């Protein structure tokens, strides 16, 4: 399609090196939609007759059906999806097909296709993220009152509830979704009409094309529109972060499923066995999610690295934007689906969770707060409780069994209430804290938001 000035065939190795059809075939529905919108604008500009336009439209829709049915034969010789489709069209309908590329370049075409691909990927990842949030939410509701230890430094810190813990991930996913919507807004701009880099001497109605393709507007600088891939980088960042959130949740689950913790059980359907050790039930899905997150981050770095040294405008390096994009979208799509399913069927062992939170040491902070309420400055209260902890440890007794009056006369005979787990949670009633009432309130708020 560009061989006019060449007298030699492209070397086989160069063809293999440069083809992108083996992966950019995924752009076909967007490429076809873009071509139909472009052809319609050509017709309105009297560059095509109505009949020619309708031949192009019918031909392209036929090609779309053939690709969907797996009947289309992609050719590496034609490099990419754009040339594969255009060549097939011209073969089908003859001269009208050869007019389609007027006032267009593969450069504005590929920028349009990838924006449309990102947009539809975002829409689907948004709805999969909502499904995952719903799965977490329903477990959070089931376990709103299930007490377990909250950790810092992976050391037991203070009591929380499983509901509160799970809702933390609902929040993270909520912000990931905001970032996705934000990214969608910024990328929903149509580059068609930017040509190879400097627009075109043939004017088509760019706004009409943009509108037909569901874009919010048109790009305002042809060089920028051709050269930048910031919208892909932004999406890859958002997907990496979403992956990082899933990965942290995976890590929690891996710990929770260990015999050492014994908090959670995953269904047989979502675990795997060992070919050697018959007793094993492994949380492979969680480990894979954690592992695949490395790929998501790698894809972001690959693109940023490819972009950083490029002079304006198009350089073939930009073809390297697609594999990271497709890989991240497809990897995360599956991760969201499998995690939602796995979480829905996960069970929590309420007794084990409670047992782990039972140690009165988890309420040492509450004991310091008790002293604060008696007028002791917090730093002094912290120090007194620290001494109490050391003394209990020394005597090999639990903190609540210690005679606290020996540590300080500030401790009254009313400390017993401090060591009541339910009471301790109830007292955490400030907005954002894990009292049952708060957690139930948050669950209702999220239910309404996700409905
Ligand atoms: N397959 C190419 C890519 O993905 C399409 C654009 C080709 N443009 C060019 N000037 N060779 O980047």
């Amino acid at each position: 399609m560009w061989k006019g000035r060449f007298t030699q065939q492209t070397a086989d190795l160069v063809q293999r090196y440069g083809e992108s059809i083996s992966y950019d075939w995924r752009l076909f529905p967007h490429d076809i939609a873009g071509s139909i919108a472009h052809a319609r604008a050509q017709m309105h500009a009297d560059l095509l007759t109505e009949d020619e336009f309708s031949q192009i439209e019918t031909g392209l829709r036929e090609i779309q059906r053939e690709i969907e049915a797996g009947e289309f034969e992609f050719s590496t010789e034609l490099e990419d999806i754009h040339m594969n489709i255009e060549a097939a069209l011209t073969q089908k309908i003859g001269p009208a097909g050869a007019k389609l590329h007027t006032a267009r370049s593969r450069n504005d075409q590929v920028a349009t296709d990838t924006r449309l691909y990102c947009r539809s990927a975002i829409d689907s990842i948004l709805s999969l993220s909502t499904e995952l949030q719903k799965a977490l939410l329903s477990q959070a509701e089931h376990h709103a009152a299930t007490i377990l230890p909250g950790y810092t430094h992976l050391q037991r810190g203070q009591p929380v509830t499983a509901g509160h813990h799970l809702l933390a991930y609902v929040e993270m996913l909520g912000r990931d979704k905001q970032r996705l919507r934000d990214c969608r807004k910024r990328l929903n701009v149509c580059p068609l009409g930017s040509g190879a880099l400097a627009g075109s001497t043939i004017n088509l109605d760019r706004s009409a094309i943009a509108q037909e393709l569901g874009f919010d507007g048109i790009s305002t600088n042809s060089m920028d529109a051709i050269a930048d891939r910031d919208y892909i980088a932004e999406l890859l960042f958002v997907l990496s972060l979403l992956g990082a959130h899933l990965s942290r949740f995976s890590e929690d689950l891996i710990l929770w499923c260990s015999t050492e913790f014994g908090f959670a059980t995953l269904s047989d359907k979502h675990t795997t066995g060992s070919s050697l050790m018959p007793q094993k039930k492994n949380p492979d899905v969680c480990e894979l999610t954690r592992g695949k997150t490395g790929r998501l981050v790698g894809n972001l770095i690959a693109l940023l690295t490819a972009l950083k040294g490029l002079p304006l405008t198009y350089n073939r390096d930009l073809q390297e934007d697609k594999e990271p994009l497709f890989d991240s979208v497809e990897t995360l799509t599956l991760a969201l689906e499998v995690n939602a399913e796995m979480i829905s069927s996960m069970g929590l062992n309420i007794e084990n969770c409670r047992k782990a939170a039972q140690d009165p040491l988890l309420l040492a902070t509450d004991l310091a707060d008790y002293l604060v309420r008696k007028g002791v400055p917090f730093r002094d209260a912290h120090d007194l409780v620290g001494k109490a902890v050391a003394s209990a440890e020394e005597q090999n007794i639990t903190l609540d069994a210690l005679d606290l009056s020996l540590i300080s006369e500030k401790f009254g005979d009313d400390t017993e209430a401090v060591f009541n787990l339910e009471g301790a949670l109830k007292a955490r009633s400030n907005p954002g804290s894990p009292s049952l009432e708060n957690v139930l309130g948050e669950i209702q708020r999220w239910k309404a938001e996700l409905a």
Side-chain angles (χ1 to χ4, degrees):
M1 285 189 167
W2 40 256
K3 296 232 162 87
R5 63 154 292 170
F6 290 78
T7 51
Q8 287 183 309
Q9 283 295 321
T10 311
D12 277 356
L13 274 173
V14 172
Q15 238 166 51
R16 274 171 53 203
Y17 199 50
E19 67 83 21
S20 54
I21 190 62
S22 56
Y23 49 88
D24 71 8
W25 61 267
R26 290 168 175 82
L27 297 174
F28 76 88
H30 311 299
D31 199 74
I32 286 171
S35 288
I36 291 173
H38 180 74
R40 198 186 312 280
Q42 288 181 321
M43 174 180 69
H44 289 138
D46 294 328
L47 292 163
L48 289 178
T49 65
E50 268 181 49
D51 180 53
E52 284 172 324
F53 169 72
S54 115
Q55 285 178 43
I56 288 178
E57 187 181 23
T58 313
L60 286 171
R61 294 211 192 282
E62 232 173 80
I63 291 171
Q64 174 148 7
R65 264 194 305 279
E66 285 166 21
I67 298 178
E68 281 163 357
E71 290 159 5
F72 190 90
E73 213 165 298
F74 291 112
S75 138
T76 327
E77 251 161 82
L78 290 162
E79 274 183 40
D80 57 25
I81 187 63
H82 324 294
M83 296 210 287
N84 266 272
I85 290 178
E86 198 190 319
L89 179 70
T90 308
Q91 202 181 25
K92 239 186 227 306
I93 67 168
K99 292 187 173 180
L100 179 61
H101 213 53
T102 312
R104 181 177 82 170
S105 152
R106 274 188 295 156
N107 294 354
D108 54 356
Q109 207 179 343
V110 74
T112 304
D113 291 4
T114 48
R115 280 176 192 262
L116 289 172
Y117 174 90
C118 288
R119 193 177 75 188
S120 87
I122 287 174
D123 290 342
S124 123
I125 289 173
L126 275 171
S127 81
L128 292 174
S129 304
T130 301
E131 290 313 305
L132 180 58
Q133 282 180 304
K134 285 183 179 165
L136 287 163
L137 196 58
S138 108
Q139 287 285 1
E141 186 166 32
H142 198 68
H143 290 287
T146 300
I147 298 177
L148 45 62
Y151 296 78
T152 61
H153 314 273
L154 199 56
Q155 307 287 321
R156 289 173 186 169
Q158 294 176 341
V160 293
T161 61
H164 197 59
H165 191 127
L166 294 168
L167 282 175
Y169 287 104
V170 177
E171 295 276 346
M172 293 178 220
L173 291 171
R175 288 193 298 278
D176 290 329
K177 284 164 62 183
Q178 286 173 11
R179 276 182 278 268
L180 282 168
R181 289 191 202 100
D182 192 39
C183 171
R184 187 192 196 284
K185 229 181 284 161
R186 220 175 342 270
L187 69 72
N188 201 26
V189 166
C190 188
L192 272 181
S194 302
L197 81 152
S200 172
T201 57
I202 297 166
N203 281 346
L204 298 182
D205 185 346
R206 292 192 61 203
S207 298
I209 296 175
Q211 200 176 8
E212 174 167 344
L213 295 172
F215 284 113
D216 296 325
I218 56 173
S219 57
T220 44
N221 181 299
S222 62
M223 295 176 82
D224 168 46
I226 293 318
D228 209 354
R229 294 292 182 270
D230 54 354
Y231 54 100
I232 301 181
E234 207 177 328
L235 179 56
L236 290 182
F237 167 71
V238 177
L239 299 186
S240 301
L241 190 52
L242 180 43
H245 288 149
L246 286 187
S247 182
R248 294 190 74 169
F249 181 66
S250 303
E251 178 60 19
D252 275 344
L253 275 189
I254 291 166
L255 291 169
W256 287 9
C257 288
S258 67
T259 313
E260 284 72 8
F261 276 74
F263 293 177
T265 320
L266 298 173
S267 80
D268 282 1
K269 280 181 49 195
H270 301 102
T271 43
T272 57
S274 156
S275 52
L276 181 74
M277 299 169 281
Q279 85 282 12
K280 290 300 284 291
K281 185 172 166 184
N282 297 326
D284 286 26
V285 169
C286 305
E287 293 163 41
L288 285 166
T289 304
R290 195 176 54 183
K292 284 173 191 287
T293 302
R295 288 232 313 263
L296 300 179
V297 177
N299 288 338
L300 168 65
I301 303 304
L303 178 63
L304 288 175
T305 312
L307 285 179
K308 71 176 267 297
L310 299 185
L312 291 189
T313 52
Y314 181 84
N315 301 271
R316 192 63 177 273
D317 316 44
L318 289 175
Q319 183 165 291
E320 292 294 311
D321 61 354
K322 281 167 217 60
E323 282 170 293
L325 172 63
F326 299 149
D327 182 56
S328 284
V329 167
E330 287 168 17
T331 300
L332 203 57
T333 296
L334 207 51
L336 288 165
E337 284 173 335
V338 71
N339 274 284
E341 203 184 272
M342 182 184 71
I343 291 162
S344 299
S345 63
M346 162 184 90
L348 292 189
N349 187 323
I350 298 174
E351 272 153 52
N352 285 353
C353 289
R354 195 190 168 91
K355 226 183 284 162
Q358 203 69 267
D359 185 342
L361 278 182
L362 270 73
L363 297 172
T365 320
D366 298 49
L367 191 60
D369 289 347
Y370 158 94
L371 288 177
V372 167
R373 259 181 243 108
K374 302 242 167 197
V376 182
F378 182 75
R379 282 291 155 226
D380 300 338
H382 186 283
D383 192 56
L384 287 173
V385 175
K387 291 200 162 78
V389 168
S391 169
E393 210 170 80
E394 206 175 80
Q395 298 172 54
N396 201 17
I397 56 174
T398 55
L399 184 61
D400 58 341
L402 185 76
D403 183 355
L404 289 165
S405 66
L406 297 178
I407 304 286
S408 160
E409 77 283 359
K410 302 277 184 201
F411 287 110
D413 52 11
D414 53 350
T415 52
E416 205 186 303
V418 172
F419 293 107
N420 178 290
L421 261 182
E422 266 74 21
L425 273 164
K426 203 171 165 164
R428 288 170 160 75
S429 60
N430 222 19
S433 296
S435 73
L436 181 59
E437 205 180 322
N438 279 352
V439 169
L440 292 176
E442 285 303 301
I443 286 167
Q444 289 318 314
R445 183 176 69 79
W446 274 112
K447 268 191 177 169
E449 182 155 336
L450 300 181

